Amino acid sequence: MVGQITRGTTGTNRLRRVDRWIARHPVLRRAADPLVIDLGYGASGVTAFELWTRLAAARADVEVLGLEIDPARVRGARAQLQRVRAGSTPFAPHAHVSFARGGFEVPVAGGRRPAIIRAMNVLRQYDQADVPAAWRSMATRLAPGGLLVEGTCDELGRIATWAAIGPDAVPRTFTVSLRLAGLERPSVAAERLPKALIHRNVPGERVHAFLTALDDEWERAANVSPFGPVHRWRTALSALHSAGWPVLERSRWQLGEATLPWNAVAPA
Ligand SMILES: C[S@@+](CC[C@H](N)C(=O)[O-])C[C@H]1O[C@@H](n2cnc3c(N)ncnc32)[C@H](O)[C@@H]1O
């Protein structure tokens, strides 16, 4: 089994921002076999049930397999699944969710290849040097055109960032997603960057330049604050875009998201 047991911290609703990004992603919508892996789900299976619930609204035949390297956590999640089946939880008793033991080798019965692997708050507890091999191990298990979504968030899920990586283990995009109400500075995301970037938030690195420019535009857009934080965020991102930052997915800006091609923030 590839990897090591780490702290199992998780929580209800913690991964909502990344879930809703995946839910509308064409990779999920077009998948021939909509199998999604929740890799390293932690001390409870709650994020796997939430993932299924959110994705099933977009793709009714989605199936979620939670994989954990800690056998005790697999036993715990399977007991939780029994309670879900019995109807004694808020989750649908028929939720197409299962749990198994596994690591970065992403074992799936019958050799099925997942359309999406979501690995949130898993690599955070590894060394930066472990990232390329972990990405490769997971990404090469994907179905053609599939995505590995690997990132980090805070305990309450108000600050989240993630990389989307293709089956060739090459990252495609970087996303930051923030709760805008009460946001002081977008660079608060620096503490929750994916492991591949967290040590790169220093002058001379692209991700540092991006977060600095985002802070500057957020500050400059303070004059539109009376129209609300969403308006302020959109104003800031429009200015960044005009300045040459290739901010993608304009229709999602209102959610407090900014997605860029990975190259725009990649380590120098
Ligand atoms: C901090 S928890 C994250 C839980 C959940 N994904 C979340 O974001 O709330 C990290 C979990 O990943 C598991 N883990 C670490 N390395 C793993 C690996 N290589 N394969 C599977 N699970 C792993 C740990 O055992 C731990 O339970």
Side-chain angles (χ1 to χ4, degrees):
M1 205 150 295
V2 186
Q4 71 216 27
I5 297 174
T6 54
R7 272 194 317 276
T9 319
T10 188
T12 301
N13 252 340
R14 184 186 196 197
L15 302 181
R16 61 192 178 280
R17 291 181 173 275
V18 67
D19 287 356
R20 73 185 175 195
W21 187 85
I22 294 170
R24 59 80 234 187
H25 204 288
V27 167
L28 175 74
R29 290 171 178 263
R30 295 186 196 136
D33 178 8
L35 172 65
V36 177
I37 306 289
D38 187 6
L39 190 121
Y41 54 81
S44 138
V46 68
T47 62
F49 292 113
E50 290 175 341
L51 181 61
W52 180 83
T53 305
R54 293 183 181 119
L55 301 194
R59 178 89 200 236
D61 56 346
V62 71
E63 177 180 347
V64 171
L65 169 61
L67 289 178
E68 240 302 330
I69 201 159
D70 181 344
R73 291 177 189 154
V74 178
R75 283 195 296 277
R78 284 178 170 162
Q80 196 177 359
L81 180 59
Q82 293 311 310
R83 295 194 291 279
V84 169
R85 294 278 180 262
S88 53
T89 78
F91 298 109
H94 67 277
H96 203 165
V97 177
S98 59
F99 297 97
R101 187 155 181 238
F104 293 141
E105 77 286 3
V106 195
V108 184
R112 282 170 75 194
R113 291 184 169 270
I116 293 173
I117 301 171
R118 186 195 65 182
M120 287 298 288
N121 300 301
V122 176
L123 280 174
R124 186 169 171 80
Q125 297 170 66
Y126 284 74
D127 286 339
Q128 192 186 353
D130 297 328
V131 172
W135 276 7
R136 209 172 317 110
S137 180
M138 291 186 276
T140 54
R141 289 289 305 126
L142 288 166
L147 273 188
L148 162 65
V149 180
E150 189 272 308
T152 307
C153 68
D154 68 334
E155 284 70 15
L156 296 178
R158 293 176 175 178
I159 304 165
T161 74
W162 56 86
I165 299 135
D168 51 5
V170 175
R172 306 285 198 264
T173 56
F174 165 75
T175 300
V176 49
S177 179
L178 300 170
R179 183 174 189 263
L180 298 177
L183 179 68
E184 282 186 20
R185 281 179 305 110
S187 65
V188 67
E191 298 156 20
R192 303 286 165 172
L193 288 170
K195 195 76 190 191
L197 294 178
I198 197 153
H199 303 300
R200 304 289 182 156
N201 187 35
V202 291
E205 291 285 349
R206 291 184 190 92
V207 71
H208 182 264
F210 171 65
L211 291 176
T212 305
L214 184 54
D215 268 1
D216 289 349
E217 293 303 345
W218 177 253
E219 198 46 52
R220 213 164 282 144
N223 61 323
V224 299
S225 293
F227 301 104
V230 170
H231 190 83
R232 183 175 175 182
W233 180 253
R234 292 169 65 116
T235 304
L237 293 194
S238 289
L240 274 185
H241 194 264
S242 301
W245 285 97
V247 193
L248 308 169
E249 304 188 355
R250 188 178 282 263
S251 64
R252 299 186 61 80
W253 293 2
Q254 63 194 12
L255 301 170
E257 280 181 18
T259 293
L260 292 97
W262 179 260
N263 287 346
V265 294

